Amino acid sequence: MSPEVSFVFHFFLSSMLLGCIAAVQLDGLTMELIHRDSPQSPLHPGNLPLAERIPKPSACPFAGLHRQTSMVSARKAAANKMISPLTSYGDPFLFFAQVGVGSFQEKSGHPRFKTYNFQIDTGNELSWIQCDGCQNKGNMCFPHEDPPYLNSQSRSYKPISCNQHSFCEPGQCKEGMCTYNVTYGPGSYTSGNLASETFTFYSSHGKHAALEDITFGCSTDSRNMKYAFLFDKNPVSGVLGMGWGPRSFLAQLGSISHGKFSYCIKANNTQNTYLRFGKHIVKSKNLQTTRIMQVKPSAAYHVNLLGISVNGVKLNITKSDLAVRKDGSRGCSIDAGTLATLLVKPVFDTLHAALADHLSRNQNLKRWIIHKLHKDLCYEQLSDAGRENLPVVTFHLENADLEVKPGAIFLFREFEGKNVFCLSMLSDDSKTIIGAYQQMKQKFVYDTKARVLSFGPEDCEKNG
Ligand SMILES: *C1O[C@H](CO)[C@@H](O)[C@H](O)[C@H]1NC(C)=O
Ligand SMILES: *[C@@H]1O[C@H](CO)[C@@H](O)[C@H](O)[C@H]1NC(C)=O
Ligand SMILES: *[C@@H]1O[C@H](CO)[C@@H](O)[C@H](O)[C@H]1NC(C)=O
């Protein structure tokens, strides 16, 4: 090829590429978040056989709530495994992003990458995906619908060798290669090789953005991952780590994100929302702001939770139950990867009592006790009026109040012809985490450089 032809060819090729793949000159990024009950979701009821759409009569209607604990407490999920599974498709909890991974042999008309579903985890740093090696003898895979990612066949997969990369942590060397191990609770972890790879994102305007050399964990062995318990058919192959730290996907986006991202979690519906980075974040008026902090070694976004109110009445909570301890335990974080809010036991008990007291005065409700799960706060609605005058819970953060409406406090279900609802928060031995369910119908903007979180009520359908 002559230089001229080559130039023309390259020019032509690069314009074509620019048409569909925007490279690193991006000043923002928008990723569509797929809802569990969106038509695109593999779990959408329309995509399941009819039998699986109808809860089994013996199933506890809120089993999903108990199994959908945080990434940080998969142990709980394990403990609740004995609860019979319920195919719950109305829950807005879990949302994930479709990400193209790797560069595979091209067949004409086929994409060069393979697409997997990643859960967005704001509580952890490293992203990872389950790799082929989990099928090797002695290793373990968690079940998911798609076959594991075939890293050995990807042309852009690069394992990271020891002492070669600042992301390789001390003590993580094995036979000259760098490994990783992320634990999510006692007995629950994913481990494998640290590597870099090209990740391709479907951005909002129909464009693809291919980002090269993103460091991630190629999981070859994992135990007790919650996904194994959460779904009958698990669509999630990995996690996009969005927490504090240089290895976080957010940080690796560099000037694309400028350390900023936003999301807006909708209630039950079929449309998707967006995870936006950098300049793609839509400006909103009247957001409140509070400080976010890092409490090492955790990568989670800590907030100062100063108190909680029920319908404007402040609860009697001991400050030290919410404060960070010297060893870094306790405190409160906010996380979109944790599905329902967790509260340390004394705080949970106080809130539970205040809500029970409030609801006991509602003539249209009857306390509904679920067998064995005596901690549940559940009610049967005796009439439609049972939905009226439900309380509002306010989390008093430093300089900002997060007001949670009844629709985001309780989980409403129809069960055996009855309208029932339960408190969708859980007690925990050591952690307080404001989870995704309680963040519904609000917009959250994380600015990790300014170390502030902005939030406020938002019609997420109109403005993701
Ligand atoms: C979900 O939809 C139902 C009916 O469409 C509605 O009654 C309920 O309030 C919605 N849930 C939330 C949390 O908005
Ligand atoms: C990862 O860490 C967990 C918990 O610390 C440990 O039990 C497990 O053996 C580790 N796995 C590997 C492969 O190092
Ligand atoms: C608040 O709780 C503490 C400890 O549980 C208790 O000693 C105190 O009397 C309570 N105060 C009020 C006003 O109920």
PDB file of all heavy atoms in Angstrom, residues 93-115:
ATOM      1  N   PHE A  93     -34.770  -3.269  42.888  1.00  0.00           N
ATOM      2  CA  PHE A  93     -33.457  -3.237  43.532  1.00  0.00           C
ATOM      3  C   PHE A  93     -32.270  -3.323  42.590  1.00  0.00           C
ATOM      4  O   PHE A  93     -31.390  -2.513  42.600  1.00  0.00           O
ATOM      5  CB  PHE A  93     -33.295  -4.404  44.499  1.00  0.00           C
ATOM      6  CG  PHE A  93     -34.380  -4.523  45.485  1.00  0.00           C
ATOM      7  CD1 PHE A  93     -35.068  -5.705  45.601  1.00  0.00           C
ATOM      8  CD2 PHE A  93     -34.707  -3.462  46.297  1.00  0.00           C
ATOM      9  CE1 PHE A  93     -36.059  -5.837  46.529  1.00  0.00           C
ATOM     10  CE2 PHE A  93     -35.700  -3.587  47.229  1.00  0.00           C
ATOM     11  CZ  PHE A  93     -36.388  -4.773  47.352  1.00  0.00           C
ATOM     12  N   LEU A  94     -32.261  -4.400  41.823  1.00  0.00           N
ATOM     13  CA  LEU A  94     -31.011  -4.680  41.160  1.00  0.00           C
ATOM     14  C   LEU A  94     -30.973  -4.081  39.764  1.00  0.00           C
ATOM     15  O   LEU A  94     -31.836  -4.313  38.953  1.00  0.00           O
ATOM     16  CB  LEU A  94     -30.792  -6.183  41.074  1.00  0.00           C
ATOM     17  CG  LEU A  94     -29.360  -6.503  40.700  1.00  0.00           C
ATOM     18  CD1 LEU A  94     -28.433  -6.335  41.877  1.00  0.00           C
ATOM     19  CD2 LEU A  94     -29.253  -7.877  40.124  1.00  0.00           C
ATOM     20  N   PHE A  95     -29.955  -3.300  39.535  1.00  0.00           N
ATOM     21  CA  PHE A  95     -29.783  -2.803  38.184  1.00  0.00           C
ATOM     22  C   PHE A  95     -28.340  -3.081  37.795  1.00  0.00           C
ATOM     23  O   PHE A  95     -27.460  -3.149  38.627  1.00  0.00           O
ATOM     24  CB  PHE A  95     -30.128  -1.321  38.078  1.00  0.00           C
ATOM     25  CG  PHE A  95     -29.545  -0.469  39.143  1.00  0.00           C
ATOM     26  CD1 PHE A  95     -28.308   0.102  38.993  1.00  0.00           C
ATOM     27  CD2 PHE A  95     -30.243  -0.243  40.329  1.00  0.00           C
ATOM     28  CE1 PHE A  95     -27.768   0.903  39.975  1.00  0.00           C
ATOM     29  CE2 PHE A  95     -29.704   0.548  41.322  1.00  0.00           C
ATOM     30  CZ  PHE A  95     -28.461   1.120  41.145  1.00  0.00           C
ATOM     31  N   PHE A  96     -28.160  -3.285  36.515  1.00  0.00           N
ATOM     32  CA  PHE A  96     -26.821  -3.589  36.064  1.00  0.00           C
ATOM     33  C   PHE A  96     -26.565  -2.971  34.704  1.00  0.00           C
ATOM     34  O   PHE A  96     -27.491  -2.567  34.005  1.00  0.00           O
ATOM     35  CB  PHE A  96     -26.575  -5.099  36.031  1.00  0.00           C
ATOM     36  CG  PHE A  96     -27.713  -5.907  35.498  1.00  0.00           C
ATOM     37  CD1 PHE A  96     -27.898  -6.050  34.141  1.00  0.00           C
ATOM     38  CD2 PHE A  96     -28.608  -6.522  36.365  1.00  0.00           C
ATOM     39  CE1 PHE A  96     -28.956  -6.807  33.646  1.00  0.00           C
ATOM     40  CE2 PHE A  96     -29.671  -7.274  35.881  1.00  0.00           C
ATOM     41  CZ  PHE A  96     -29.844  -7.412  34.523  1.00  0.00           C
ATOM     42  N   ALA A  97     -25.294  -2.881  34.345  1.00  0.00           N
ATOM     43  CA  ALA A  97     -24.896  -2.289  33.074  1.00  0.00           C
ATOM     44  C   ALA A  97     -24.360  -3.382  32.167  1.00  0.00           C
ATOM     45  O   ALA A  97     -23.686  -4.294  32.631  1.00  0.00           O
ATOM     46  CB  ALA A  97     -23.822  -1.235  33.302  1.00  0.00           C
ATOM     47  N   GLN A  98     -24.683  -3.272  30.880  1.00  0.00           N
ATOM     48  CA  GLN A  98     -24.105  -4.209  29.926  1.00  0.00           C
ATOM     49  C   GLN A  98     -22.798  -3.634  29.425  1.00  0.00           C
ATOM     50  O   GLN A  98     -22.751  -2.482  28.992  1.00  0.00           O
ATOM     51  CB  GLN A  98     -25.070  -4.432  28.759  1.00  0.00           C
ATOM     52  CG  GLN A  98     -26.299  -5.192  29.219  1.00  0.00           C
ATOM     53  CD  GLN A  98     -27.182  -5.644  28.076  1.00  0.00           C
ATOM     54  OE1 GLN A  98     -27.220  -5.008  27.028  1.00  0.00           O
ATOM     55  NE2 GLN A  98     -27.888  -6.729  28.281  1.00  0.00           N
ATOM     56  N   VAL A  99     -21.761  -4.425  29.520  1.00  0.00           N
ATOM     57  CA  VAL A  99     -20.434  -3.952  29.144  1.00  0.00           C
ATOM     58  C   VAL A  99     -19.826  -4.959  28.171  1.00  0.00           C
ATOM     59  O   VAL A  99     -19.908  -6.169  28.388  1.00  0.00           O
ATOM     60  CB  VAL A  99     -19.542  -3.822  30.404  1.00  0.00           C
ATOM     61  CG1 VAL A  99     -18.134  -3.382  30.027  1.00  0.00           C
ATOM     62  CG2 VAL A  99     -20.152  -2.834  31.404  1.00  0.00           C
ATOM     63  N   GLY A 100     -19.226  -4.439  27.111  1.00  0.00           N
ATOM     64  CA  GLY A 100     -18.522  -5.304  26.167  1.00  0.00           C
ATOM     65  C   GLY A 100     -17.120  -5.560  26.688  1.00  0.00           C
ATOM     66  O   GLY A 100     -16.435  -4.632  27.098  1.00  0.00           O
ATOM     67  N   VAL A 101     -16.712  -6.804  26.697  1.00  0.00           N
ATOM     68  CA  VAL A 101     -15.395  -7.132  27.234  1.00  0.00           C
ATOM     69  C   VAL A 101     -14.554  -7.803  26.162  1.00  0.00           C
ATOM     70  O   VAL A 101     -15.015  -8.709  25.458  1.00  0.00           O
ATOM     71  CB  VAL A 101     -15.524  -8.082  28.455  1.00  0.00           C
ATOM     72  CG1 VAL A 101     -14.161  -8.359  29.075  1.00  0.00           C
ATOM     73  CG2 VAL A 101     -16.459  -7.490  29.512  1.00  0.00           C
ATOM     74  N   GLY A 102     -13.290  -7.365  26.046  1.00  0.00           N
ATOM     75  CA  GLY A 102     -12.312  -8.056  25.211  1.00  0.00           C
ATOM     76  C   GLY A 102     -12.389  -7.771  23.734  1.00  0.00           C
ATOM     77  O   GLY A 102     -13.188  -6.943  23.272  1.00  0.00           O
ATOM     78  N   SER A 103     -11.525  -8.436  22.986  1.00  0.00           N
ATOM     79  CA  SER A 103     -11.489  -8.332  21.524  1.00  0.00           C
ATOM     80  C   SER A 103     -11.346  -9.742  20.991  1.00  0.00           C
ATOM     81  O   SER A 103     -10.313 -10.371  21.180  1.00  0.00           O
ATOM     82  CB  SER A 103     -10.281  -7.527  21.056  1.00  0.00           C
ATOM     83  OG  SER A 103     -10.066  -6.431  21.897  1.00  0.00           O
ATOM     84  N   PHE A 104     -12.380 -10.176  20.352  1.00  0.00           N
ATOM     85  CA  PHE A 104     -12.385 -11.562  19.874  1.00  0.00           C
ATOM     86  C   PHE A 104     -12.330 -11.597  18.355  1.00  0.00           C
ATOM     87  O   PHE A 104     -12.596 -10.606  17.684  1.00  0.00           O
ATOM     88  CB  PHE A 104     -13.625 -12.294  20.407  1.00  0.00           C
ATOM     89  CG  PHE A 104     -13.605 -12.430  21.897  1.00  0.00           C
ATOM     90  CD1 PHE A 104     -14.182 -11.464  22.702  1.00  0.00           C
ATOM     91  CD2 PHE A 104     -12.956 -13.492  22.497  1.00  0.00           C
ATOM     92  CE1 PHE A 104     -14.137 -11.571  24.090  1.00  0.00           C
ATOM     93  CE2 PHE A 104     -12.907 -13.611  23.875  1.00  0.00           C
ATOM     94  CZ  PHE A 104     -13.497 -12.649  24.668  1.00  0.00           C
ATOM     95  N   GLN A 105     -11.963 -12.743  17.839  1.00  0.00           N
ATOM     96  CA  GLN A 105     -11.856 -12.954  16.402  1.00  0.00           C
ATOM     97  C   GLN A 105     -13.108 -12.445  15.714  1.00  0.00           C
ATOM     98  O   GLN A 105     -14.217 -12.807  16.101  1.00  0.00           O
ATOM     99  CB  GLN A 105     -11.694 -14.462  16.166  1.00  0.00           C
ATOM    100  CG  GLN A 105     -10.991 -14.803  14.883  1.00  0.00           C
ATOM    101  CD  GLN A 105      -9.548 -14.316  14.878  1.00  0.00           C
ATOM    102  OE1 GLN A 105      -8.842 -14.464  15.880  1.00  0.00           O
ATOM    103  NE2 GLN A 105      -9.123 -13.694  13.797  1.00  0.00           N
ATOM    104  N   GLU A 106     -12.883 -11.599  14.729  1.00  0.00           N
ATOM    105  CA  GLU A 106     -14.024 -10.990  14.060  1.00  0.00           C
ATOM    106  C   GLU A 106     -14.684 -11.911  13.048  1.00  0.00           C
ATOM    107  O   GLU A 106     -14.017 -12.523  12.232  1.00  0.00           O
ATOM    108  CB  GLU A 106     -13.558  -9.743  13.316  1.00  0.00           C
ATOM    109  CG  GLU A 106     -14.196  -8.492  13.827  1.00  0.00           C
ATOM    110  CD  GLU A 106     -13.505  -7.277  13.248  1.00  0.00           C
ATOM    111  OE1 GLU A 106     -12.277  -7.150  13.400  1.00  0.00           O
ATOM    112  OE2 GLU A 106     -14.211  -6.475  12.636  1.00  0.00           O
ATOM    113  N   LYS A 107     -15.983 -11.989  13.125  1.00  0.00           N
ATOM    114  CA  LYS A 107     -16.739 -12.582  12.015  1.00  0.00           C
ATOM    115  C   LYS A 107     -17.533 -11.416  11.466  1.00  0.00           C
ATOM    116  O   LYS A 107     -18.000 -10.572  12.226  1.00  0.00           O
ATOM    117  CB  LYS A 107     -17.715 -13.650  12.552  1.00  0.00           C
ATOM    118  CG  LYS A 107     -17.030 -14.944  12.896  1.00  0.00           C
ATOM    119  CD  LYS A 107     -18.094 -16.021  13.137  1.00  0.00           C
ATOM    120  CE  LYS A 107     -17.588 -17.061  14.112  1.00  0.00           C
ATOM    121  NZ  LYS A 107     -18.489 -17.282  15.228  1.00  0.00           N
ATOM    122  N   SER A 108     -17.689 -11.351  10.160  1.00  0.00           N
ATOM    123  CA  SER A 108     -18.298 -10.145   9.603  1.00  0.00           C
ATOM    124  C   SER A 108     -19.691  -9.949  10.208  1.00  0.00           C
ATOM    125  O   SER A 108     -20.476 -10.886  10.335  1.00  0.00           O
ATOM    126  CB  SER A 108     -18.378 -10.241   8.079  1.00  0.00           C
ATOM    127  OG  SER A 108     -19.124 -11.394   7.730  1.00  0.00           O
ATOM    128  N   GLY A 109     -19.938  -8.703  10.593  1.00  0.00           N
ATOM    129  CA  GLY A 109     -21.240  -8.366  11.147  1.00  0.00           C
ATOM    130  C   GLY A 109     -21.371  -8.669  12.626  1.00  0.00           C
ATOM    131  O   GLY A 109     -22.369  -8.353  13.244  1.00  0.00           O
ATOM    132  N   HIS A 110     -20.358  -9.269  13.217  1.00  0.00           N
ATOM    133  CA  HIS A 110     -20.445  -9.562  14.645  1.00  0.00           C
ATOM    134  C   HIS A 110     -19.569  -8.603  15.440  1.00  0.00           C
ATOM    135  O   HIS A 110     -18.525  -8.187  14.969  1.00  0.00           O
ATOM    136  CB  HIS A 110     -19.999 -11.001  14.912  1.00  0.00           C
ATOM    137  CG  HIS A 110     -21.045 -11.990  14.500  1.00  0.00           C
ATOM    138  ND1 HIS A 110     -22.083 -12.366  15.309  1.00  0.00           N
ATOM    139  CD2 HIS A 110     -21.222 -12.656  13.325  1.00  0.00           C
ATOM    140  CE1 HIS A 110     -22.839 -13.227  14.653  1.00  0.00           C
ATOM    141  NE2 HIS A 110     -22.347 -13.423  13.454  1.00  0.00           N
ATOM    142  N   PRO A 111     -20.005  -8.258  16.630  1.00  0.00           N
ATOM    143  CA  PRO A 111     -19.179  -7.344  17.420  1.00  0.00           C
ATOM    144  C   PRO A 111     -17.869  -8.016  17.825  1.00  0.00           C
ATOM    145  O   PRO A 111     -17.796  -9.237  17.908  1.00  0.00           O
ATOM    146  CB  PRO A 111     -20.046  -7.055  18.647  1.00  0.00           C
ATOM    147  CG  PRO A 111     -21.032  -8.158  18.715  1.00  0.00           C
ATOM    148  CD  PRO A 111     -21.219  -8.667  17.324  1.00  0.00           C
ATOM    149  N   ARG A 112     -16.884  -7.191  18.059  1.00  0.00           N
ATOM    150  CA  ARG A 112     -15.567  -7.711  18.385  1.00  0.00           C
ATOM    151  C   ARG A 112     -15.471  -8.106  19.855  1.00  0.00           C
ATOM    152  O   ARG A 112     -14.565  -8.749  20.277  1.00  0.00           O
ATOM    153  CB  ARG A 112     -14.504  -6.661  18.095  1.00  0.00           C
ATOM    154  CG  ARG A 112     -14.502  -6.178  16.669  1.00  0.00           C
ATOM    155  CD  ARG A 112     -13.349  -5.234  16.441  1.00  0.00           C
ATOM    156  NE  ARG A 112     -13.332  -4.161  17.407  1.00  0.00           N
ATOM    157  CZ  ARG A 112     -12.234  -3.688  17.960  1.00  0.00           C
ATOM    158  NH1 ARG A 112     -11.067  -4.190  17.665  1.00  0.00           N
ATOM    159  NH2 ARG A 112     -12.301  -2.685  18.816  1.00  0.00           N
ATOM    160  N   PHE A 113     -16.432  -7.601  20.625  1.00  0.00           N
ATOM    161  CA  PHE A 113     -16.382  -7.862  22.069  1.00  0.00           C
ATOM    162  C   PHE A 113     -17.532  -8.770  22.461  1.00  0.00           C
ATOM    163  O   PHE A 113     -18.466  -8.977  21.683  1.00  0.00           O
ATOM    164  CB  PHE A 113     -16.467  -6.545  22.839  1.00  0.00           C
ATOM    165  CG  PHE A 113     -17.545  -5.630  22.344  1.00  0.00           C
ATOM    166  CD1 PHE A 113     -18.872  -5.820  22.741  1.00  0.00           C
ATOM    167  CD2 PHE A 113     -17.267  -4.597  21.457  1.00  0.00           C
ATOM    168  CE1 PHE A 113     -19.870  -5.002  22.274  1.00  0.00           C
ATOM    169  CE2 PHE A 113     -18.287  -3.774  20.973  1.00  0.00           C
ATOM    170  CZ  PHE A 113     -19.580  -3.975  21.378  1.00  0.00           C
ATOM    171  N   LYS A 114     -17.466  -9.295  23.662  1.00  0.00           N
ATOM    172  CA  LYS A 114     -18.585 -10.085  24.176  1.00  0.00           C
ATOM    173  C   LYS A 114     -19.248  -9.284  25.298  1.00  0.00           C
ATOM    174  O   LYS A 114     -18.579  -8.624  26.080  1.00  0.00           O
ATOM    175  CB  LYS A 114     -18.067 -11.414  24.729  1.00  0.00           C
ATOM    176  CG  LYS A 114     -17.525 -12.314  23.623  1.00  0.00           C
ATOM    177  CD  LYS A 114     -18.018 -13.739  23.793  1.00  0.00           C
ATOM    178  CE  LYS A 114     -17.887 -14.535  22.518  1.00  0.00           C
ATOM    179  NZ  LYS A 114     -16.506 -14.844  22.151  1.00  0.00           N
ATOM    180  N   THR A 115     -20.571  -9.356  25.354  1.00  0.00           N
ATOM    181  CA  THR A 115     -21.305  -8.522  26.298  1.00  0.00           C
ATOM    182  C   THR A 115     -21.674  -9.289  27.564  1.00  0.00           C
ATOM    183  O   THR A 115     -22.165 -10.416  27.488  1.00  0.00           O
ATOM    184  CB  THR A 115     -22.575  -7.975  25.617  1.00  0.00           C
ATOM    185  OG1 THR A 115     -22.171  -7.278  24.444  1.00  0.00           O
ATOM    186  CG2 THR A 115     -23.323  -7.027  26.521  1.00  0.00           C
TER     187      THR A 115
END
